[in-house]
Amino acid sequence: LLDRLREEAGGRENTLTVDGGDLWQGSGTSLWTRGVDMVEASNILGVDVMVGHWEFTYPENEVLSNVALFKGDFIGQNVRVKEEALFGDEYIAMVEKYDGRGLYNEETGHAFQPYVMKNAGGKRIAVIGQAFPRTANANPPEFFPDWSFGLREDDMKALVKKIHAEEKPDAVILVSHNGMDVDIKMAERAPG
């Protein structure tokens, strides 16, 4: 189906395949393989960019391992490394084990890239990620003791401005797990 849809759009080079979360968790086989089977499925499907929600139902080390196996970009402007973990030897060793994934920017504390630039149809597209902001309420917080989540709307507004000023994209899109009502409000308040 994806191949057919991509062909109808003029080929792979004219499309982006994005996922809004809940892809790597939820089945018996994903439980048994700790999500690895679904990471492989997302790679076979050619998912270019995704954000997380139930992906954070696995412990941090398993999430980082899955992100390292994923061939696309796992992004989230609203996922931060807690300050006390930023300089902890145990956390740094875990991040290094997975090629630095899970500590994208020590200065800002972003756990993952907040956005990526992609090309589709000859256009430069900025794709911003928004993980489920209430992950700590919906998932067991002991699985991600070093990460914090939130809506971070002011950060979103500043990021959109920065992207427009520095990257000069043809479009800026948001891949979000906020929920439609929250996304509509955020889009109204984050121009661009």
Side-chain angles (χ1 to χ4, degrees):
L1 176 61
L2 272 174
D3 287 342
R4 190 178 78 222
L5 291 171
R6 288 175 181 137
E7 223 24 67
E8 289 173 6
R12 184 84 169 100
E13 65 279 0
N14 290 318
T15 65
L16 288 176
T17 302
V18 300
D19 182 84
D22 294 347
L23 180 60
W24 296 347
Q25 191 276 344
S27 68
T29 58
S30 65
L31 175 64
W32 301 325
T33 66
R34 310 307 292 162
V36 171
D37 68 326
M38 293 309 298
V39 175
E40 291 172 357
S42 53
N43 288 336
I44 291 167
L45 289 170
V47 174
D48 296 302
V49 182
M50 71 175 288
V51 299
H53 173 221
W54 286 111
E55 288 73 13
F56 298 109
T57 299
Y58 304 116
E60 285 177 357
N61 64 322
E62 292 177 357
V63 172
L64 294 176
S65 177
N66 287 342
V67 169
L69 293 172
F70 180 48
K71 293 178 182 173
D73 293 297
F74 190 92
I75 60 176
Q77 76 85 25
N78 64 326
V79 185
R80 302 291 195 285
V81 179
K82 294 177 181 174
E83 192 169 333
E84 60 270 18
L86 272 174
F87 305 105
D89 292 340
E90 187 176 313
Y91 186 74
I92 291 170
M94 180 175 62
V95 168
E96 287 174 353
K97 179 179 177 182
Y98 299 107
D99 299 324
R101 306 249 183 155
L103 179 53
Y104 169 71
N105 187 319
E106 192 174 299
E107 286 181 29
T108 63
H110 283 101
F112 304 98
Q113 295 180 97
Y115 74 97
V116 291
M117 291 298 297
K118 293 290 185 182
N119 291 304
K123 303 293 183 185
R124 294 180 68 246
I125 302 169
V127 183
I128 301 173
Q130 180 82 358
F132 184 60
R134 293 174 298 284
T135 295
N137 297 35
N139 301 31
E142 63 269 15
F143 286 174
F144 43 86
D146 300 319
W147 295 332
S148 69
F149 301 80
L151 194 58
R152 304 194 201 286
E153 186 175 313
D154 289 340
D155 293 345
M156 176 70 72
K157 290 176 189 175
L159 181 59
V160 170
K161 276 186 182 178
K162 177 182 183 230
I163 290 169
H164 278 291
E166 295 176 8
E167 301 275 4
K168 309 243 185 291
D170 294 298
V172 176
I173 65 169
L174 175 67
V175 179
S176 170
H177 202 98
N178 284 338
M180 185 173 232
D181 57 337
V182 177
D183 284 336
I184 290 169
K185 286 180 184 173
M186 183 177 272
E188 290 170 350
R189 296 192 294 237

